[in-house]
Amino acid sequence: MGFTDLPILSQIRGRLSWLDERQRVIAQNVANSDTPGYAARDLAAPTDFARALAQQNGAVRMSRTSAMHMAPATPQAGHFQSQSAPDSETTLDGNSVVVEEQMLKMAESRMAYDAAISLYQKSMQMLRMAARPPGRG
């Protein structure tokens, strides 16, 4: 198992890919801010614990140790799906994109992206430090 196969790094890579896709969807919303009838879209936040477990590729599994336990749900194959997420206003031509709200979402995504990159870099630094021979600082 290589450094890049560690679950924490896989989770960070998954988060980065979700943020990248979200930025693409937001940019598409801004590009269509004058298109009549266009509804703003966004990605659902990846907070589903069962989905996160399913993306571990079998590294972590739930098990039933008693017949009284609920059976685990079958995992869904996941690519990111954008969904309709109209902003706070809809214009008379049916467009529901508010550029200011999209810019806030873009800034939020950028901050989360920076935090994930920082966590990835710190994790790699820790792994490099742990791999050094004793006595080398």
Side-chain angles (χ1 to χ4, degrees):
M1 176 155 123
F3 283 131
T4 57
D5 297 331
L6 294 173
I8 182 81
L9 298 180
S10 296
Q11 288 292 340
I12 294 171
R13 275 195 312 274
R15 176 73 172 166
L16 289 172
S17 51
W18 181 83
L19 288 165
D20 182 48
E21 182 66 19
R22 184 171 192 226
Q23 239 176 347
R24 189 191 64 72
V25 169
I26 292 169
Q28 190 175 23
N29 288 343
V30 172
N32 287 293
S33 63
D34 290 332
T35 305
Y38 183 83
R41 303 193 64 76
D42 201 355
L43 295 182
T47 56
D48 184 10
F49 183 68
R51 187 174 9 171
L53 280 177
Q55 291 174 348
Q56 289 294 319
N57 294 328
V60 177
R61 294 203 182 271
M62 293 191 298
S63 62
R64 288 177 69 179
T65 56
S66 166
M68 301 294 286
H69 293 166
M70 295 187 319
T74 36
Q76 304 262 338
H79 285 299
F80 305 120
Q81 295 286 327
S82 65
Q83 59 192 18
S84 181
D87 288 338
S88 61
E89 302 173 5
T90 301
T91 59
L92 293 175
D93 65 1
N95 187 297
S96 68
V97 177
V98 177
V99 175
E100 292 82 6
E101 289 182 26
Q102 295 300 312
M103 291 297 105
L104 287 172
K105 288 179 185 179
M106 183 73 77
E108 174 187 290
S109 291
R110 177 58 194 213
M111 288 188 302
Y113 194 88
D114 288 344
I117 287 288
S118 177
L119 182 60
Y120 190 86
Q121 289 171 337
K122 294 292 182 185
S123 297
M124 290 303 291
Q125 285 174 352
M126 271 192 341
L127 290 170
R128 283 187 203 107
M129 186 171 39
R132 282 190 207 135
R136 292 198 172 182

